[in-house]
Amino acid sequence: MEEFHDVHKKVPRVVDHSEDICWKPPDYGLYKINFDGALFADQASAGLAVVIRDSATSRAISFAKELNIHQMVVEGDSLQ
């Protein structure tokens, strides 16, 4: 873990919170993978979160919002 921290020194990041940025679904037949990682120095551990969605997922979420459903868990069983 110490070696990992040595290689990944903290570098200040500039975060642009532009309101023009929004998630866009991938083209039909493609998947979009969003990921983020975090280091917890006080616990000497790391975490990783991954979300994988396709264009059908985006349509399902839009439909749920039209039905005024705003809190949801998304699952899929696509074999493609």
Side-chain angles (χ1 to χ4, degrees), residues 8-27:
H8 296 88
K9 297 284 187 196
K10 290 185 181 182
V11 177
R13 296 187 323 172
V14 176
V15 179
D16 180 13
H17 292 287
S18 173
E19 297 196 20
D20 295 335
I21 298 172
C22 67
W23 187 86
K24 293 183 174 82
D27 292 335

Side-chain angles (χ1 to χ4, degrees), residues 5 10 22 33 44 63 76:
H5 286 289
K10 290 185 181 182
C22 67
I33 302 172
F63 179 64

Side-chain angles (χ1 to χ4, degrees), residues 59-72:
R59 288 193 300 272
I61 292 171
S62 294
F63 179 64
K65 287 181 178 179
E66 288 175 18
L67 296 175
N68 206 27
I69 299 171
H70 297 284
Q71 295 180 341
M72 65 189 87

Side-chain angles (χ1 to χ4, degrees), residues 1-8:
M1 192 61 136
E2 191 174 318
E3 181 180 343
F4 178 84
H5 286 289
D6 289 342
V7 173
H8 296 88

